Amino acid sequence: MVEKRELLYEGKAKKLFVTDEENQLWVEYLDQATALNGARKDQVLGKADLNNQITSAIFEALILKGIKSHFIRQLSDNEQLVTKVDIIPLEVVVRNYAAGSFSKRLAIDEGKKLNFPIVEFYYKNDALDDPIINEDHVKILEIADSQEIKTIKAAAREINSVLIELFDDIGIRLIDFKIEFGRTADGSILLADEISPDTCRLWDKETNEHLDKDVYRRDLGDIVPVYQEVYTRLKNK
Ligand code: ADP
Ligand code: UDP
């Protein structure tokens, strides 16, 4: 049984602890919701368990399709064990439909289907407010080299295909999502962090109801019943 040791990092949604295993981290999800780069913050009871359970279910579904991630196993309702990686400071966003910052920046109506899925890179840097960057920027900033960029984009597209089908089966349209990758001790690239309603836009296929963090960002109501709805559908799949 792996042992939890000292706190390594406290983020906006999770705490990471080192363990007695050099290459494994203990992740604790928090009952906390934030928006506007942390400027808005609220305690949301029940969110930690739901995001941990949803992320675990999704990483398990990905594994069945041959997509590896940092996920090792769920430890409790709000904790999981993961492989430690050096996070590549990129927010990799995949979009199937226009929404959010994409709609605003390019004046394209939310909900418009894109002709093909697009992959975008944002530089994960709170001080700079996570600016959008292109592949040349990624190379100039020495965030990743050409081969790694290729690997990341291919993985992002493959993950998108699996997630589209997974959500479609439970009556949900995958609008867009953000993922993160890291480098393992042997230098290979691995999907990390979380995949949850905090990091995806999920719309009910019939009603277009938002089943994701936009409910919090846009003050549309309580997120716990909405996240619960996503988890219930995933569990009963
Ligand atoms: P933030 O840092 O944006 O506030 P979180 O509260 O979700 O976000 O914090 C989790 C942090 O842990 C993120 O910075 C994420 O990049 C990092 N992380 C996720 N998975 C791993 C991993 N397997 N190894 C190391 N760091 C990770
Ligand atoms: N996203 C995320 N973390 C971020 C920014 C975005 O998980 O720090 C997700 C967001 O939930 C959405 C997708 O990435 O599913 C695209 O977000 P967008 O660029 O439209 O940003 P937003 O409108 O949320 O500012």
Side-chain angles (χ1 to χ4, degrees):
M1 187 56 195
V2 61
E3 278 177 33
K4 184 178 174 183
R5 296 270 163 89
E6 71 270 15
L7 180 70
L8 177 69
Y9 175 82
E10 175 161 4
K12 295 185 285 286
K14 303 187 282 291
K15 284 182 182 171
L16 305 184
F17 297 86
V18 297
T19 67
D20 57 335
E21 292 285 341
E22 198 189 343
N23 291 324
Q24 299 185 1
L25 296 179
W26 189 293
V27 182
E28 180 188 331
Y29 282 69
L30 305 175
D31 273 338
Q32 191 162 281
T34 63
L36 309 170
N37 201 359
R40 188 174 152 220
K41 183 154 95 173
D42 290 283
Q43 195 189 34
V44 181
L45 293 179
K47 176 174 178 281
D49 289 3
L50 285 164
N51 273 354
N52 182 45
Q53 285 159 331
I54 292 169
T55 294
S56 298
I58 290 175
F59 282 141
E60 278 163 7
L62 288 175
I63 257 294
L64 293 178
K65 298 283 182 181
I67 298 172
K68 291 191 208 126
S69 73
H70 73 159
F71 180 76
I72 300 173
R73 67 173 186 275
Q74 203 180 316
L75 292 163
S76 74
D77 285 346
N78 72 329
E79 295 166 301
Q80 56 183 246
L81 189 68
V82 303
T83 301
K84 182 178 181 174
V85 296
D86 281 329
I87 289 289
I88 296 169
L90 286 179
E91 302 210 327
V92 179
V93 169
V94 182
R95 301 181 187 271
N96 297 305
Y97 294 81
S101 69
F102 179 89
S103 287
K104 219 181 254 173
R105 196 171 57 247
L106 302 174
I108 299 176
D109 287 344
E110 280 213 316
K112 185 180 187 313
K113 191 171 184 353
L114 304 181
N115 288 340
F116 56 90
I118 65 164
V119 180
E120 296 174 342
F121 294 127
Y122 293 81
Y123 182 23
K124 200 169 138 62
N125 183 317
D126 282 345
L128 299 178
D129 247 342
D130 301 343
I132 188 165
I133 56 176
N134 67 22
E135 291 179 31
D136 282 342
H137 295 114
V138 174
K139 285 188 255 179
I140 287 288
L141 292 169
E142 296 183 355
I143 294 170
D145 64 26
S146 302
Q147 192 50 50
E148 288 176 323
I149 294 171
K150 236 174 145 178
T151 303
I152 288 171
K153 284 181 78 173
R157 290 186 193 286
E158 200 188 348
I159 292 161
N160 184 45
S161 302
V162 174
L163 293 182
I164 287 175
E165 198 184 318
L166 176 76
F167 284 117
D168 186 63
D169 278 353
I170 57 170
I172 289 173
R173 186 174 302 128
L174 177 63
I175 302 297
D176 59 31
F177 62 95
K178 181 271 297 180
I179 45 181
E180 295 180 22
F181 294 88
R183 295 186 186 90
T184 59
D186 72 5
S188 57
I189 287 182
L190 195 61
L191 173 64
D193 203 49
E194 68 176 278
I195 301 181
S196 73
D198 267 12
T199 63
C200 302
R201 282 198 171 91
L202 306 170
W203 293 9
D204 183 87
K205 262 186 346 193
E206 303 297 323
T207 65
N208 284 336
E209 184 193 351
H210 295 281
L211 300 173
D212 56 55
K213 194 173 159 185
D214 275 347
V215 171
Y216 174 76
R217 293 189 192 100
R218 300 176 185 190
D219 259 327
L220 302 174
D222 193 355
I223 56 172
V224 168
V226 160
Y227 286 27
Q228 181 65 57
E229 173 68 21
V230 173
Y231 182 52
T232 303
R233 291 194 202 182
L234 274 174
K235 215 174 38 176
N236 296 332
K237 200 169 115 59

